[in-house]
Amino acid sequence: MLTVTAHRLQGANVRHDSTDHHDGLIQPRLVIFHFTAISFGDTLVKFKAGTPGNRVSAHLVIARDGQIVQFVDFNLRAWHAGQSTWNGLADINSHSIGIELANAGTVRKTGEQWLGEEGVAVPASEVIEARHKHARWPMTHWHRYADAQIAACHAITAALRDAYPIEDIIGHDDIAPDRKYDPGPASPLDAIRATALGSR
């Protein structure tokens, strides 16, 4: 079971790190899911130190084995959503908790190997074929999310629901459909939302 204490997630498989890639206080109303497109380890390095000219962060990163790292306290504004809107809300970073899942995103077969868009190798057993809900994205092969990640998502969203007035749980492709396609059709986001929020 996971809980939130002093705006930090507590429980098994949770560790805390820090980054200065945040600004301002927020009252979370939304939970936004993303995929990393790069490896879990590379994501931790990127969020810890950043790259030149790249202001990016999220509150949580979830590894494929279910390990969770929190970089930003839930009452602080992380930089994960970019230019986006939802139900009349703009500046989604000021209203949301960002969660990144280690996942290669779209994948393509090169020779005998499946590679993600950032070059991450993906076992064939982890590739699914699916159509994105936004037809403008023609990609059809995606990296499947791991069972341990999905279980972590359910536990995290339950803890966030109990700690904050969460109104919706959505994807980056919901708040910026013209430019983003994560977490994509491999994500069981509808089930995560239904379990955490029910009919709300």
Side-chain angles (χ1 to χ4, degrees), residues 7 15 31 34 36 73 77 81 84 90 97-98 107 110 116 120 128 143 154 158 163-164 168 175 178 181 183:
H7 307 293
R15 68 182 177 90
V31 177
H34 309 257
T36 60
D73 288 358
R77 181 180 183 275
S84 50
I97 292 168
V107 295
T110 303
V120 175
I128 67 166
H143 190 191
H154 282 289
Y164 303 102
D168 215 342
I175 61 174
D178 58 331
Y181 47 87

Side-chain angles (χ1 to χ4, degrees), residues 170-185:
I170 49 183
H172 205 182
D173 49 8
D174 293 309
I175 61 174
D178 58 331
R179 63 186 185 87
K180 294 294 181 179
Y181 47 87
D182 58 313

Side-chain angles (χ1 to χ4, degrees), residues 33-37 103-108 116-118 130-143 145 171-187 189:
F33 278 95
H34 309 257
F35 59 57
T36 60
N103 183 281
T106 60
V107 295
R108 181 173 299 179
E117 54 203 76
E118 297 294 331
R131 184 177 301 279
H132 197 282
K133 61 187 174 183
H134 301 313
R136 68 175 57 89
W137 304 114
M139 304 82 164
T140 57
H141 291 94
W142 303 80
H143 190 191
Y145 291 90
H172 205 182
D173 49 8
D174 293 309
I175 61 174
D178 58 331
R179 63 186 185 87
K180 294 294 181 179
Y181 47 87
D182 58 313
S187 168
L189 193 52

Side-chain angles (χ1 to χ4, degrees), residues 87-132:
N87 286 347
L89 275 181
D91 186 19
I92 298 299
N93 283 335
S94 294
H95 304 281
S96 65
I97 292 168
I99 300 177
E100 294 271 359
L101 292 100
N103 183 281
T106 60
V107 295
R108 181 173 299 179
K109 196 167 188 181
T110 303
E112 295 301 312
Q113 190 173 33
W114 288 94
L115 295 176
E117 54 203 76
E118 297 294 331
V120 175
V122 174
S125 61
E126 295 180 5
V127 175
I128 67 166
E129 187 171 10
R131 184 177 301 279
H132 197 282

Side-chain angles (χ1 to χ4, degrees), residues 18-83:
S18 62
T19 179
D20 59 3
H21 295 191
H22 59 80
D23 61 336
L25 294 172
I26 66 169
Q27 173 71 341
R29 299 167 57 181
L30 303 170
V31 177
I32 313 296
F33 278 95
H34 309 257
F35 59 57
T36 60
I38 58 178
S39 71
F40 177 68
D42 287 347
T43 302
L44 299 187
V45 171
K46 184 176 183 178
F47 283 2
K48 180 73 175 178
T51 55
N54 193 355
R55 288 165 45 101
V56 63
S57 60
H59 295 87
L60 302 176
V61 184
I62 307 175
R64 294 190 64 77
D65 64 1
Q67 179 187 171
I68 303 162
V69 179
Q70 181 167 4
F71 275 98
V72 179
D73 288 358
F74 295 132
N75 66 330
L76 298 177
R77 181 180 183 275
W79 304 333
H80 62 95
Q83 186 176 354

